[in-house]
Amino acid sequence: YEEGRVPAMALGQDTQTVEYLESLTDGADEAAPDASFELGNMYMGGDPIRGVEIDYERAWGHFSHAGALDHGPAHHNMALMDLQGMGKEINETSALENYRRAADLGEISALAGMAYMYMQGKVEGVAPKEARKIGLDLLKQAAQFDTEQSSSSGDALVALGYYYMTG
């Protein structure tokens, strides 16, 4: 398995996977943030194969734990939960903060998430014309990454093309 990642054998252990991942989250090794992130995903979307029902509070707790350990994708998912009001009130300020933290940690998709927020007028105190410019700049940054490195850069290219096409 990739160093610092949840061992591949853990995935596919059906209901035992949750218990296995839970056992890794408290550890001091590099697997803890990834284990917390995977558990957060399970609780955010539910996982009927493993008997996990949607539980936004538990999802947030696991993402928060992983985020505290500098896990960029966890901050990205916290931003999504903030924007969509998953288990809590919509909080665009917190969403933007989590997207920024995720981007600082190298999460390319967070750049596109921030671009969406700016271009949809979800960032307070920024004039529409300036928000559009910031959004386009963020999409350009995301699109510069190699699509082999991240599918998010391809998504950013599509979004960039759409915004140029629609004016």
Side-chain angles (χ1 to χ4, degrees):
Y1 69 92
E2 185 179 341
E3 187 175 334
R5 298 287 177 194
V6 176
M9 65 183 234
L11 305 175
Q13 288 182 347
D14 297 327
T15 57
Q16 294 177 0
T17 303
V18 174
E19 289 81 14
Y20 178 76
L21 291 171
E22 289 280 1
S23 73
L24 293 177
T25 62
D26 293 329
D29 62 22
E30 294 179 22
D34 289 321
S36 288
F37 176 71
E38 291 303 325
L39 284 164
N41 282 332
M42 285 183 192
Y43 287 112
M44 187 167 99
D47 189 337
I49 293 172
R50 293 182 176 88
V52 177
E53 293 186 18
I54 292 173
D55 184 335
Y56 295 132
E57 186 175 326
R58 289 182 82 176
W60 182 269
H62 286 293
F63 290 142
S64 182
H65 179 254
L69 298 171
D70 292 335
H71 194 277
H75 282 284
H76 178 269
N77 284 6
M78 291 167 68
L80 290 175
M81 291 182 77
D82 281 329
L83 274 179
Q84 296 175 15
M86 298 172 103
K88 54 198 267 163
E89 293 289 321
I90 292 174
N91 187 335
E92 294 167 344
T93 302
S94 178
L96 187 61
E97 289 170 9
N98 276 301
Y99 275 141
R100 281 190 180 129
R101 183 69 182 127
D104 289 345
L105 292 168
E107 185 64 21
I108 297 166
S109 60
L111 295 170
M114 284 191 297
Y116 164 81
M117 289 189 69
Y118 278 99
M119 296 177 99
Q120 296 296 315
K122 296 184 179 291
V123 179
E124 290 184 30
V126 181
K129 187 174 181 178
E130 180 65 15
R132 182 172 172 78
K133 180 186 178 316
I134 292 169
L136 285 172
D137 287 345
L138 288 165
L139 285 176
K140 287 177 188 176
Q141 286 177 42
Q144 289 177 357
F145 288 89
D146 183 357
T147 54
E148 295 291 322
Q149 180 184 359
S150 171
S151 63
S152 298
S153 59
D155 294 341
L157 281 170
V158 170
L160 193 58
Y162 174 79
Y163 282 111
Y164 278 126
M165 186 178 77
T166 60

